[in-house]
Amino acid sequence: MPKDLVLITGVTGHVGFRVLRYALEHGLAVRAAVRSQAKAQAVRSYPSLKGLDKDHLLEFVTVPDFTASGAFDNAVANVKYIIHCASPIPFASPTTDDAERDFVAPAVLTTLGILESARRVETVRRIVITSSCIAIAPVAAAVSDTGETYTAETRQPDLDAPLPPGTPSFVAYAAGKVAALNRAEAWIQTERPRFDAIHLMPSYVLGRIDMCDSLERLQTSANSFPLDIVLGHDGGEGGMAMVVNHVDDCARIHVEALNPRIEGNQSFIIDYNLSSKVEWDEAKDIVAKHFPVAVNFDVLPNNSTLKSVCCRLESSKTEKTFGFRQSYESAVVDLVQQYLELREMQKGASNGVDS
């Protein structure tokens, strides 16, 4: 049994898979929680993971229902650290008919369930939880300049419930993230477990999606914002908060947050806290610079626009503690490179069928 075993949830997702990769790349022994053996096989066999030659450091545990009482009791056995990335995502459909069922309950029950299971064993020392900047900033801050500055210590009250049918999925997602953060912190304050917790609050996470084999999935994430610009899709009249981070930085910070030198029971915003914020539309200059042939041949029309809304996230504490190594430019380059690769792959598959 490895000395410092790490349990990771959400490994089939954008952030979770990259966290898994980063942990294995740096020699950590990982137990990945998945809902089925089929998902375990899909993760284990993915080329970017197989190429690491770290299979001896990876094991899986099946948890069919993350929200069930005691769901993680077996998963936490002999675990020292937990990185909880699993979460409903708001990009699958624009609205939800049941916000509580689709977003709020899964976010709260899964987080509290992990905390409860961890309390039942003596080995767990730290839990890193993926929250979101929308847990500390109001929903209005995603589309308008509120004039406020939000720090890792800012907290929002739970959104009024129940949310009606037809609620935008992003609002329901925000409700789940606010509730999960508030409940988890209240639980820790009341129960005072032997372990501590660190909440990480990413802004929009951009960059290559490892477990992605279709253009459709690539565009059902925050990546859709810069992709719409370079693909010439109508950005609409509204704007979007320009708060971003690269998935590589996001994953690295998740793993580095396990380091005991970092004081527990605190929170960090993961956002590029630039003195002069970049704009969404800078994606066009980035693409013209790095992919001129694709632009010239109209593979990338590179002619749409998305208004950048100012949202003030104070992440200097994160920069001081962990540092940032990537940029909006590197995220756009990685994303567009993957788009072009998938486009060629799907084009080749289509040609093969036609022939």
Side-chain angles (χ1 to χ4, degrees):
M1 179 66 61
K3 178 183 177 183
D4 295 338
L5 185 61
V6 184
L7 173 67
I8 303 178
T9 71
V11 296
T12 61
H14 186 197
V15 173
F17 187 91
R18 188 65 187 91
V19 169
L20 171 63
R21 258 188 60 202
Y22 190 90
L24 293 173
E25 287 167 351
H26 289 79
L28 299 182
V30 175
R31 177 182 294 158
V34 291
R35 290 184 171 85
S36 68
Q37 281 301 309
K39 289 186 178 293
Q41 183 56 34
V43 172
R44 191 186 293 275
S45 63
Y46 210 77
S48 62
L49 213 59
K50 289 181 68 176
L52 296 179
D53 194 26
K54 300 286 188 178
D55 199 59
H56 63 289
L57 294 175
L58 177 61
E59 63 181 63
F60 290 88
V61 59
T62 302
V63 182
D65 182 359
F66 281 18
T67 66
S69 177
F72 293 94
D73 284 357
N74 291 330
V76 300
N78 300 303
V79 163
K80 185 173 183 179
Y81 302 114
I82 300 172
I83 303 178
H84 174 42
C85 298
S87 176
I89 59 173
F91 298 99
S93 65
T95 63
T96 175
D97 289 332
D98 193 331
E100 179 69 22
R101 177 198 65 201
D102 295 339
F103 290 93
V104 181
V108 172
L109 293 176
T110 302
T111 301
L112 293 183
I114 285 178
L115 293 172
E116 288 284 1
S117 292
R119 183 174 60 170
R120 297 186 185 111
V121 299
E122 297 182 355
T123 55
V124 176
R125 291 292 175 265
R126 172 164 293 176
I127 302 180
V128 173
I129 300 174
T130 310
S131 182
S132 169
C133 65
I134 202 60
I136 59 171
V139 172
V143 293
S144 62
D145 184 357
T146 65
E148 301 291 328
T149 297
Y150 306 101
T151 74
E153 288 68 47
T154 305
R155 294 295 179 268
Q156 296 294 326
D158 289 0
L159 274 69
D160 292 337
L163 296 175
T167 292
S169 292
F170 183 75
V171 175
Y173 169 78
K177 285 299 187 182
V178 170
L181 174 62
N182 291 344
R183 300 294 188 283
E185 292 190 325
W187 185 94
I188 290 168
Q189 184 175 8
T190 300
E191 302 299 332
R192 300 192 180 280
R194 67 177 60 86
F195 56 82
D196 59 41
I198 288 182
H199 285 88
L200 299 179
M201 296 144 173
S203 55
Y204 291 120
V205 183
L206 306 181
R208 178 178 287 268
I209 301 179
D210 278 323
M211 287 194 69
C212 177
D213 56 8
S214 73
L215 294 176
E216 181 180 17
R217 182 178 177 189
L218 191 66
Q219 295 176 79
T220 52
S221 68
N223 283 328
S224 64
F225 301 139
L227 270 180
D228 282 348
I229 294 170
V230 302
L231 294 179
H233 298 165
D234 182 15
E237 296 182 1
M240 186 64 60
M242 183 56 194
V243 285
V244 300
N245 69 96
H246 192 295
V247 67
D248 287 357
D249 274 334
C250 191
R252 174 179 57 81
I253 290 170
H254 274 74
V255 176
E256 290 184 359
L258 299 176
N259 193 318
R261 73 173 177 81
I262 297 170
E263 184 179 350
N265 294 330
Q266 60 175 324
S267 305
F268 295 92
I269 293 173
I270 306 179
D271 177 67
Y272 294 151
N273 190 34
L274 306 175
S275 57
S276 177
K277 286 283 189 181
V278 296
E279 303 284 323
W280 286 113
D281 280 3
E282 289 184 34
K284 289 184 284 192
D285 293 334
I286 294 167
V287 167
K289 172 184 174 182
H290 291 275
F291 305 97
V293 174
V295 173
N296 290 338
F297 282 87
D298 210 30
V299 174
L300 302 173
N302 212 30
N303 59 6
S304 191
T305 189
L306 176 62
K307 179 183 176 182
S308 296
V309 171
C310 178
C311 180
R312 300 168 180 84
L313 299 178
E314 175 51 67
S315 61
S316 58
K317 181 175 75 168
T318 310
E319 186 164 10
K320 180 179 179 180
T321 305
F322 300 101
F324 291 117
R325 302 175 185 173
Q326 302 293 337
S327 64
Y328 181 53
E329 179 171 1
S330 60
V332 171
V333 170
D334 288 352
L335 169 62
V336 172
Q337 183 62 52
Q338 185 176 22
Y339 171 84
L340 294 173
E341 291 169 4
L342 289 172
R343 183 178 183 275
E344 285 302 306
M345 183 177 70
Q346 292 188 195
K347 181 180 177 182
S350 175
N351 290 339
V353 171
D354 292 341
S355 61

